[in-house]
Amino acid sequence: MSVAKKDYKRITTKSLIEMKSNGEKISMLTAYDYTMAKIVDTAGIDVILVGDSASNVMAGHETTLPITLDQMIYHASSVVRATERALVVVDLPFGSYQSDPKEALRSAIRIMKESGGHAVKLEGGKEIKESIKKILNAGIPVMGHLGLTPQSIYKFGTYTVRAKEEEEAEKLIEDAKLLEKIGCFGVVLEKIPAHLAEQVAKSISIPVIGIGAGGGVDGQVLVIHDMLGMNNEFSPRFLRRYLNLFQEMTSAISQYVTDVKSSDFPNEKEQY
């Protein structure tokens, strides 16, 4: 069943809650630089996530752990300058909020002041409750992140599906309700069973955005490099590739090399 879309000139946290209430799905993609963010925003995306996945796709690290707060601010400020419609959510990187609520607040304030981002995202539930409350009390919007939390990869030891067992599933539901209760405007659920994600989405009033969490949630998020096929080494079940830019770009660059070597480029019309 299609739902009539409200024309939002600027997406806010309130807009997302309205979308959930109206049954309109929320679209979310990552971006890390001005040019890509400009394209994503112009295409009509609702939320741009400046993810700590920049550690992987932009810097080539194996995990999200190495990226720093300064680097996240750099990426986020580039994205904000390109964005006119989308809500820009910025990940707090590993080590900037877990140990001390005061440090969490300082990190969130730096992101908001120095990048111009609209909200921050943190991984975890009950264990980081005080950090989230501290940030919220300062008037900074917070999005939660449950399920597979990549910053805890060395604790999990694997990127496999989370919350398949009853105990972990119950904790996830409790954490989602806690995040809603303390004031988060939304939550990302990553790589959990679809039936559980749908149950969570129905049990809370704030939007639930899924990545590898099935279609019963309020919206979807993907890493832009994955869905455009720029990264051809990552192929999980939940990923739909809308282009194969790796192949297209490789072919174009190869043709450029050929044209330069053969003196075909530039031709007479491409000179002054």
Side-chain angles (χ1 to χ4, degrees):
M1 176 179 171
S2 61
V3 177
K5 292 171 59 178
K6 180 177 176 179
D7 184 22
Y8 292 97
K9 291 184 178 180
R10 183 55 135 169
I11 302 295
T12 65
T13 57
K14 182 174 180 289
S15 308
L16 301 183
I17 293 171
E18 286 180 357
M19 287 180 182
K20 171 161 182 159
S21 179
N22 295 333
E24 179 183 344
K25 296 287 188 178
I26 298 164
S27 60
M28 184 171 176
L29 281 171
T30 65
Y32 317 98
D33 64 84
Y34 178 89
T35 302
M36 188 70 82
K38 192 75 172 177
I39 295 169
V40 171
D41 187 61
T42 301
I45 209 74
D46 297 316
V47 184
I48 294 178
L49 172 64
V50 185
D52 58 5
S53 47
S55 179
N56 309 106
V57 299
M58 301 298 288
H61 293 296
E62 184 179 0
T63 72
T64 62
L65 274 62
I67 199 164
T68 66
L69 183 60
D70 285 340
Q71 290 168 334
M72 288 301 303
I73 290 169
Y74 165 79
H75 287 294
S77 61
S78 301
V79 168
V80 168
R81 283 192 290 270
T83 307
E84 295 182 2
R85 179 182 180 273
L87 180 79
V88 179
V89 179
V90 185
D91 271 340
L92 280 179
F94 176 73
S96 67
Y97 63 91
Q98 289 93 340
S99 62
D100 178 8
K102 291 182 179 178
E103 178 67 19
L105 177 58
R106 285 192 291 268
S107 300
I109 287 174
R110 280 200 64 199
I111 282 180
M112 300 297 283
K113 284 178 70 69
E114 297 178 38
S115 79
H118 308 138
V120 296
K121 180 167 75 66
L122 290 72
E123 294 183 6
K126 182 179 179 181
E127 60 275 10
I128 60 162
K129 177 179 71 172
E130 295 307 316
S131 289
I132 294 175
K133 288 171 68 175
K134 199 83 172 174
I135 295 169
L136 287 168
N137 286 341
I140 299 171
V142 174
M143 174 173 268
H145 184 144
L146 301 171
L148 176 65
T149 48
Q151 291 179 10
S152 303
I153 184 56
Y154 290 125
K155 173 185 173 182
F156 294 145
T158 175
Y159 285 106
T160 192
V161 176
R162 304 303 310 173
K164 291 191 291 185
E165 303 299 327
E166 184 176 352
E167 183 178 352
E168 189 177 351
E170 288 179 357
K171 181 183 185 306
L172 188 143
I173 294 171
E174 290 173 3
D175 279 341
K177 291 180 178 179
L178 173 67
L179 293 176
E180 176 188 29
K181 182 178 179 180
I182 63 179
C184 291
F185 71 87
V187 59
V188 169
L189 296 182
E190 181 167 357
K191 214 167 182 183
I192 67 171
H195 68 87
L196 175 61
E198 183 174 6
Q199 182 181 348
V200 171
K202 289 179 177 178
S203 69
I204 59 178
S205 61
I206 59 176
V208 174
I209 311 298
I211 176 167
V217 291
D218 305 305
Q220 300 293 329
V221 59
L222 286 174
V223 172
I224 187 76
H225 291 66
D226 297 338
M227 63 85 69
L228 291 179
M230 298 173 75
N231 176 5
N232 67 347
E233 299 170 351
F234 183 65
S235 190
R237 182 190 301 184
F238 65 77
L239 174 62
R240 180 183 296 182
R241 283 201 176 93
Y242 286 80
L243 285 174
N244 187 345
L245 277 187
F246 184 90
Q247 181 177 329
E248 293 290 325
M249 292 173 72
T250 302
S251 176
I253 293 166
S254 177
Q255 185 62 54
Y256 169 75
V257 171
T258 298
D259 291 349
V260 170
K261 296 287 187 182
S262 67
S263 297
D264 181 73
F265 175 79
N267 60 32
E268 289 187 7
K269 293 182 179 179
E270 293 163 334
Q271 302 180 52
Y272 295 101

